[in-house]
Amino acid sequence: MEQNMKNSSVKVADTLILGGGIAGLEAALNLANTGHQVVIVEKDLSIGGRMIHLSKVFPTLDCSACITTPKVSEASRHPGIHIQVNTGAKKLAFDAKGHWHVHVQTEPRFVNESLCTGCQDCERACPVVVKDEYQYNLVGRKVAYIPFSIASPRIAAIDIENCILCGACEKACVPGAIDFSQEPVQTEWIVKSVIIASGFTLFDPDQIERYGGGKFKNVVTAMQMERQLVPTRPFNTVLRPGDGKIPDKVAYVLCAGSRDGTVGNPICSQICCMYSIKQAQLILGALPMADVTVYYLHIRSFGKGFDEFYQQAKKMDVSFIKGKIGKISELENGDLMLRYEDIASGKIKEAKHDMVVLSVGILANRDIEKISGLENLELDPFHYLKQRQEMSNPFKTNLPGIFMAGTASGPMDIPDSILSAGAVSAMVTKYNKGFVESIINSLTISSWNE
Amino acid sequence: MAGKTIEIIKTKRKVPEALRQRHKEYLGLRKKIREALADGEATIPQISQKTGIPADQVVFLVMTLRKYDEIVAGDMDDMDEYYYYKLSEK
Ligand SMILES: Cc1cc2nc3c(=O)[nH]c(=O)nc-3n(C[C@H](O)[C@H](O)[C@H](O)COP(=O)(O)OP(=O)(O)OC[C@H]3O[C@@H](n4cnc5c(N)ncnc54)[C@H](O)[C@@H]3O)c2cc1C
Ligand code: SF4
Ligand code: SF4
């Protein structure tokens, strides 16, 4: 069923997935491969989530983009999957027949998707430069731009907030794809089930004054280092953003914004130890003469192959110092002095590094709380979706027909996100199959939670 | 539609003055960097010294111009500390 009006339509599917990261994509593919009609609603300009921007993955050091892109392209071409990027859910409503009505809004990208060839002529013609959020602000991008080289869809967009309306992009676009007349488009999806796979956000280390509060130019976040290590890296090698120097002595500060009640995040982010150990090895691959030191409180290498990966880093001469960083100070030449408590000796020590990477923690994505109709969705004390039946039904929320996958339910790595997506697909398959309106009609919140 | 729809949006949006100023500033900085490289290649600290632009801003600008093929990276300096950058021949 499909009803269309100008800029709004009503459509029907079996399941709507909020978020096209690895968890959402995996769930979509599992469901579509078993005959369900799935829609992915993704707020970004591309699907792929955080994983598409990572360098390699621990502990196998497989290329992250090489694992993500086949799934991205399979989902994009799958006849059972409809993808809406640049789209957010505004309102959810549960009807008397047990369907969810999900009202979503697609923002204009000012480019006609069916005409754009991804040639980047508009990008070359655009004179305006702003910070490139996909390179974590290390480099600039144009205001008419392809989000990143492996974006899906690989279609240009106009960042209208920063556009000076000069019209150069429109003149340069031979297929005539630029369309400044676009308006937001509303879609109401009527579905049996919803999976929330909206992922996580990153802790902002600028809040930590003792690490420089964002003022020290050669203190970067792990995500910025991740970008420096990918093939499409912003500097084409690893460099200090403060002065372009090739770093010689790199320090990692673990638990930056995790396990720290003073910054409001007392829990472990589960992934930072391992991604830091991964990056330390990759830095040594890129800069064989560099020294890399990891300052840690505990190394949590609990997964399959993780401890061996940690031992491998030690064998590669990565130094591990059990030490609590009290303060980072910036020296005149941009080097950083780390003052720390050396836990082995109980002494306060200082060490000089020329670049510091903060292994920032992950936080719940609180976007979901802004969606009308989800006010009664239960969250845990850290604002992740509450797993009410952690042992028996871990991916069910408290609302009937609403499930969760991936890091929307708590910090986890890629294998666990994929596993959760597998589990939730099985639950949703059963739920959609048993979706007989008379049964759903009598489904109350208490029976769903039994 | 080509070349026309910009007029439609101009009736709906105004460009904030701050945005125009920021763009002007960027054009000025880009010009300075290109001028600093007009006589030959230079490292980031050398460009910073020639132009008076802080080194972190020079990194951002040079890397952006490199991304859009206006600048290319050359060899490392004798101390293996910095790369040289030069204007691309395009
Ligand atoms: C620096 C760093 C390095 C890492 N390295 C590794 C590694 O080597 N190995 C490993 O296993 N894990 C690693 N991880 C963890 C990995 O990134 C996560 O486990 C994985 O990305 C989780 O996938 P997800 O789908 O749950 O969430 P995400 O990747 O966050 O995807 C969520 C998606 O939902 C979209 N979204 C958000 N809000 C909305 C909304 N309101 N409406 C619609 N869409 C929305 C987002 O745009 C995004 O596309 C690393 C993480 C970081 C930060
Ligand atoms: S909008 Fe036009 S110029 Fe820009 S990438 Fe698409 S086809 Fe090329
Ligand atoms: S109209 Fe906007 S997006 Fe297009 S070239 Fe000019 S500044 Fe760039």
Side-chain angles (χ1 to χ4, degrees), chain A residues 123 127 129-130 132 139-140 142 160 162-165 170 180 183 217 234-235 241-246, chain B residues 1 3-6 9-10 12-13 15 19 22-23 26 44 55-56 59-60 63-64 66-68 81-82:
Chain A
E123 190 163 350
V129 162
V130 292
D132 184 349
V139 70
K142 299 291 187 71
I160 203 70
N162 287 303
C163 174
I164 58 167
L165 308 182
E170 196 170 17
F180 282 104
E183 298 276 354
K217 306 297 179 208
F235 303 158
D243 61 1
K245 181 172 176 267
I246 301 158
Chain B
M1 265 314 206
K4 303 252 166 60
T5 64
I6 193 73
I9 198 155
K10 278 185 188 167
K12 297 189 220 159
R13 286 184 76 89
V15 179
L19 202 62
R22 220 178 51 204
H23 178 52
Y26 164 73
I44 301 284
D56 61 309
V59 173
F60 181 86
M63 295 306 161
T64 304
R66 197 192 65 84
K67 174 173 164 184
Y68 290 106
E81 282 190 323
Y82 294 96

Side-chain angles (χ1 to χ4, degrees), chain A residues 4 10 16-17 22 62 133 140 170 250 263 285 345 364 395 398 412 422 445:
Chain A
N4 283 307
V10 180
L16 181 140
I17 301 179
I22 192 62
D62 287 321
E133 60 276 49
E170 196 170 17
V250 182
V263 293
S345 66
F395 303 112
N398 64 310
M412 64 179 84
I445 294 209

Side-chain angles (χ1 to χ4, degrees), chain A residues 329-384:
Chain A
S329 322
E330 188 177 41
L331 308 180
E332 214 172 309
N333 63 357
D335 287 355
L336 290 314
M337 187 63 85
L338 271 63
R339 193 174 160 81
Y340 67 98
E341 181 191 341
D342 179 47
I343 293 170
S345 66
K347 291 201 172 115
I348 303 295
K349 293 188 174 171
E350 286 194 326
K352 199 164 81 169
H353 293 271
D354 54 12
M355 192 168 178
V356 171
V357 184
L358 299 178
S359 300
V360 288
I362 72 173
L363 301 174
N365 174 6
R366 300 188 65 181
D367 267 13
I368 297 307
E369 295 169 53
K370 296 176 208 141
I371 302 173
S372 161
L374 288 183
E375 293 79 5
N376 294 326
L377 186 67
E378 284 183 8
L379 305 176
D380 72 14
F382 310 107
H383 308 280
Y384 290 100

